[in-house]
Amino acid sequence: MTLRKKYVVSLYWAFTTMTTVGYGDVNAVNTAERVMALFAMLVGASIFGYVVGNVTMVVESINQQATLRKEKLDSVKEFVRERRLPPYLAKKVKKHFKYFYARKSVFDESTMLDNMPSCLRGTISQ
């Protein structure tokens, strides 16, 4: 067996193991079949990853306000960590902002209202 053939066989084994398509009844016998199978598994794994990534983005964007709230609370935690606040004070600060963001919209309302026409802004503000 040549070095090139050993390399193809080892890549075929690795990709078959990683993509969990198994070692069933039908398997690649020669180098051309193995190369084709490698290509097919690589394309399949890429498409699967693309689909999973897009589904994740859709699910995350469903509740944008919750995502923004989490980002803002993460920045509060980072602030507390950078300032090296004592634990009791850090807990108070985090608790305050958790309450604050639960009661107030996490969207920058003043900027949104400033960018609206005055007739629309007046209707919303009432």
Side-chain angles (χ1 to χ4, degrees):
M1 188 180 281
T2 66
L3 184 60
R4 182 177 177 192
K5 191 171 182 179
K6 287 179 183 178
Y7 186 72
V8 170
V9 168
S10 63
L11 274 177
Y12 172 75
W13 176 85
F15 271 79
T16 302
T17 302
M18 285 190 316
T19 58
T20 64
V21 292
Y23 304 98
D25 303 359
V26 180
N27 57 6
V29 178
N30 59 37
T31 303
E33 291 175 355
R34 287 186 187 104
V35 169
M36 184 60 195
L38 283 168
F39 178 73
M41 286 185 272
L42 186 60
V43 168
S46 299
I47 291 171
F48 179 75
Y50 178 76
V51 168
V52 168
N54 281 333
V55 168
T56 301
M57 284 182 8
V58 167
V59 169
E60 283 182 354
S61 68
I62 287 174
N63 192 351
Q64 192 175 19
Q65 187 165 355
T67 303
L68 285 172
R69 184 177 295 118
K70 183 182 179 314
E71 287 175 6
K72 289 188 182 260
L73 289 175
D74 286 344
S75 67
V76 169
K77 290 176 187 175
E78 185 64 31
F79 171 80
V80 166
R81 197 174 15 252
E82 277 186 18
R83 299 286 180 157
R84 294 188 176 106
L85 296 179
Y88 75 93
L89 186 55
K91 186 175 181 179
K92 279 186 172 183
V93 169
K94 290 179 199 175
K95 191 174 181 179
H96 164 74
F97 279 103
K98 188 174 183 179
Y99 175 81
F100 178 74
Y101 289 130
R103 299 291 180 253
K104 181 184 176 293
S105 174
V106 291
F107 299 111
D108 189 0
E109 292 179 22
S110 61
T111 304
M112 291 177 85
L113 290 171
D114 289 344
N115 291 324
M116 288 183 191
S118 58
C119 59
L120 185 57
R121 188 176 336 139
T123 305
I124 292 175
S125 297
Q126 291 176 358

